[in-house]
Amino acid sequence: MLVPLGSIALRMSLFSAFAAAAAASGLFVVCRQLGLRRSAASFAALLLALSPSFWSQANIQRVYSLNAMMMVAALGLATQWWLGRDDRMLVAAVFVSALGACNHTYMAIFVIALALWSVVVDRTLWQRPRTWLSCIGAGVLGLLPYIYQPLRSRADPRLDWGNPETIDSWIAVVTRRDAWDRAWLEVPGDVLVIAVDYLSRIGYEFLWLGAGLALLGVVAARARKWPLLLLLLVMAGNFVAMVLHGSRSDLFYWHRYYIPTYVVVSLLAGLGFQVLSERWRKWIPVAYLLPVLMLIVGYPQFDRSRYRIAEDFSRSLLTELPPGAHLSASDDNILFVLIYLHFVEGLRPDINLILQGVGQADLQPLSFDPASEPLYFTHHPNWSVPELVVDPVGLAFKIESSDTSIQPVSITKWELDGENDSRVPKDYLTQNLIGHFHYMLGITLERWDWPRAEGQFEKARAAAPENDVLFYNLGLIYARNGLYERSLASFEHSRAINPRHLATKREVRASDRLIEARTEVVRLDGFEVGWMAGLEESGLTAGTAPYHAMLARFFSGSGEDLAARGHLLIAAELESAELGETR
């Protein structure tokens, strides 16, 4: 609010950049505290700043850059305590950690790691009640901003995530209780799968050379009496929390949750850098080629100066709606931008934006007149009311009376701003948004112009090849249009992406639909074989009147073996033709 530059969104992006720069600079300071030379400390700071997950969060409006800054600050204070045993530094570290937990709950895990480490390295800590009581008090003081949530919630603001007015609902919001049921972990063996991805991602983030230097740093840290246990506990806490809590996307697509680990790896890589530079002075300029390479590789991925895709989607959606419409919105990828544009930018104030996807919102029963109060959904509501139909109209679903004559929709926007510009980064969320855009155009065209609808579905598949929900929905669409081979291919692709249930409340699985699709494909293959065999025996010419009459009778029945019936119908047609009947 103090920076009068551009929109609120731009200012929050600048704040993220500031926090990320502060985290990298703070890591340099911590490295110097631990005795690293300037060259090694700057190398560590550059590794963190240029690692893909960290960089990806440094120019968007999210919590992870600020979380990294708070963690580095707490780590620096803990290091100061470890070096000088000044208990005030330990108390300050607890306070900063608790305050950081108000931004992201990982810092609560950091406090646990800090507490375990401190009592291990200083067994006399429990004999100093003033110190540990001060730590408890500092922790409570740092958590005080959480008190604002129930107080603000009682004012019933439009954005009231989880409605934390009671103790239970407040705890649910603080602990993100609604997210825990999306955990990917199902069996103990899954821990190994997650661990493999966790370790391989460390290699990817630092182009493997940085990971190797960090491993060397682990070996050297013990000899140099570094607080290695604290660093390993920070990494272990990060990993365990993600194992217990992370969804499939959290674990295997959005590695921003591992940024605390990447802070530690960068620090240890700085130590590895120094170990080699002490033995081989010429190593220093060679090693700096790594951050240079990370800069060259990463810049095209994270240059968001031309990025308008998410804003363009939401602006287009809001522009399509008639005056006074109700829009029930869900899915973070769409909902959050709508919230910002509507409530902060003041776009389309005449629209009633219903926050269906906000923290398990307890919405009032919906009552409306479809003739005078147009109601739209960003996603299919998944209910069926005989008096109503759910009609896709561009980027939203419109609820209409079942007796309303549905007219073709005039589509005016066929691509999002920048979706075909190679200079605009396309991360996983952006890919899904582009895919959803073309999917909505496709289902809008489905009843009126199938070739153009299929063209949009093809664009959706190409834009979001890793979206299991998209391919599942495409499988349903192809099935209802009788295209069972395409339906089968879509369900197979969805299952290949995610063999488990989709991230929906119904917890459906693509594998369940695969059985139905395969059955239909086999059945239709049988029809075709029987039909072609019978046609070949009959000698009928395709396209003739007897051929079409027999074709109509062939498909007129139900619940029978059409392959066998085809032979009987062909025989009947031949017999009729011999009697001279005209068709």
Side-chain angles (χ1 to χ4, degrees), residues 99-177:
L99 185 63
C102 297
N103 167 66
H104 194 279
T105 50
Y106 169 76
M107 291 307 295
I109 298 173
F110 184 89
V111 168
I112 296 173
L114 178 63
L116 292 174
W117 169 73
S118 60
V119 297
V120 169
V121 299
D122 188 349
R123 303 294 177 84
T124 65
L125 186 61
W126 290 112
Q127 300 173 13
R128 303 196 298 274
R130 182 176 178 180
T131 297
W132 53 263
L133 287 174
S134 296
C135 287
I136 294 174
V140 172
L141 185 64
L143 293 173
L144 284 180
Y146 271 126
I147 295 178
Y148 179 71
Q149 286 184 335
L151 296 178
R152 178 64 180 138
S153 179
R154 289 181 180 277
D156 294 324
R158 288 298 305 274
L159 187 59
D160 192 9
W161 197 280
N163 193 30
E165 296 182 15
T166 66
I167 294 296
D168 183 68
S169 60
W170 178 70
I171 292 175
V173 170
V174 171
T175 60
R176 294 291 309 276
R177 185 189 298 168

Side-chain angles (χ1 to χ4, degrees), residues 2-306:
L2 298 177
V3 182
L5 177 64
S7 65
I8 296 296
L10 175 62
R11 299 179 200 183
M12 290 305 298
S13 292
L14 291 174
F15 179 75
S16 288
F18 165 79
S25 302
L27 186 65
F28 174 89
V29 174
V30 174
C31 289
R32 294 288 288 159
Q33 287 176 341
L34 291 169
L36 295 188
R37 298 194 184 105
R38 289 183 179 273
S39 58
S42 60
F43 178 81
L46 285 172
L47 284 192
L48 176 63
L50 299 173
S51 58
S53 293
F54 184 83
W55 194 351
S56 72
Q57 302 303 304
N59 54 12
I60 63 174
Q61 313 87 357
R62 300 202 70 134
V63 301
Y64 304 100
S65 294
L66 180 58
N67 182 59
M69 185 187 80
M70 301 299 284
M71 176 189 156
V72 171
L75 186 61
L77 291 167
T79 301
Q80 283 286 85
W81 172 78
W82 179 73
L83 291 171
R85 290 299 192 272
D86 183 349
D87 287 350
R88 292 175 299 177
M89 295 297 101
L90 183 60
V91 173
V94 172
F95 170 76
V96 170
S97 300
L99 185 63
C102 297
N103 167 66
H104 194 279
T105 50
Y106 169 76
M107 291 307 295
I109 298 173
F110 184 89
V111 168
I112 296 173
L114 178 63
L116 292 174
W117 169 73
S118 60
V119 297
V120 169
V121 299
D122 188 349
R123 303 294 177 84
T124 65
L125 186 61
W126 290 112
Q127 300 173 13
R128 303 196 298 274
R130 182 176 178 180
T131 297
W132 53 263
L133 287 174
S134 296
C135 287
I136 294 174
V140 172
L141 185 64
L143 293 173
L144 284 180
Y146 271 126
I147 295 178
Y148 179 71
Q149 286 184 335
L151 296 178
R152 178 64 180 138
S153 179
R154 289 181 180 277
D156 294 324
R158 288 298 305 274
L159 187 59
D160 192 9
W161 197 280
N163 193 30
E165 296 182 15
T166 66
I167 294 296
D168 183 68
S169 60
W170 178 70
I171 292 175
V173 170
V174 171
T175 60
R176 294 291 309 276
R177 185 189 298 168
D178 62 316
W180 283 81
D181 60 358
R182 298 200 300 263
W184 184 78
L185 181 74
E186 289 185 353
V187 296
D190 291 340
V191 177
L192 180 60
V193 178
I194 299 172
V196 170
D197 180 79
Y198 173 80
L199 295 174
S200 63
R201 187 66 192 190
I202 292 175
Y204 172 84
E205 293 281 337
F206 302 99
L207 299 183
W208 292 101
L209 177 58
L213 289 172
L215 189 60
L216 177 60
V218 171
V219 176
R222 187 174 182 84
R224 302 194 180 209
K225 297 183 179 180
W226 268 33
L228 180 60
L229 177 60
L230 174 60
L231 301 180
L232 295 180
L233 285 173
V234 166
M235 293 178 66
N238 193 189
F239 174 74
V240 171
M242 290 307 302
V243 167
L244 298 177
H245 175 268
S247 67
R248 171 180 159 273
S249 297
D250 298 337
L251 293 169
F252 305 119
Y253 286 98
W254 303 324
H255 291 91
R256 61 197 179 210
Y257 299 103
Y258 290 137
I259 286 177
T261 289
Y262 304 147
V263 170
V264 172
V265 171
S266 299
L267 179 62
L268 291 170
L271 177 55
F273 173 99
Q274 177 147 317
V275 170
L276 290 183
S277 63
E278 288 172 350
R279 300 186 179 184
W280 184 35
R281 297 289 297 176
K282 295 181 179 180
W283 157 258
I284 296 177
V286 175
Y288 269 100
L289 292 177
L290 176 59
V292 170
L293 180 59
M294 293 172 69
L295 174 63
I296 294 172
V297 172
Y299 191 84
Q301 300 179 54
F302 308 118
D303 172 19
R304 294 181 176 269
S305 59
R306 298 177 181 86

Side-chain angles (χ1 to χ4, degrees), residues 26 78 551:
L551 192 64

Side-chain angles (χ1 to χ4, degrees), residues 318-363:
L318 291 173
T319 301
E320 288 181 355
L321 302 178
H326 305 280
L327 175 62
S328 181
S330 57
D331 182 6
D332 296 357
N333 211 18
I334 295 173
L335 172 63
F336 288 174
V337 183
L338 288 173
I339 288 175
Y340 169 75
L341 291 175
H342 184 65
F343 292 123
V344 181
E345 295 279 337
L347 185 63
R348 294 300 305 269
D350 59 300
I351 290 175
N352 174 29
L353 182 60
I354 303 170
L355 307 181
Q356 182 182 0
V358 174
Q360 294 187 339
D362 185 17
L363 300 176

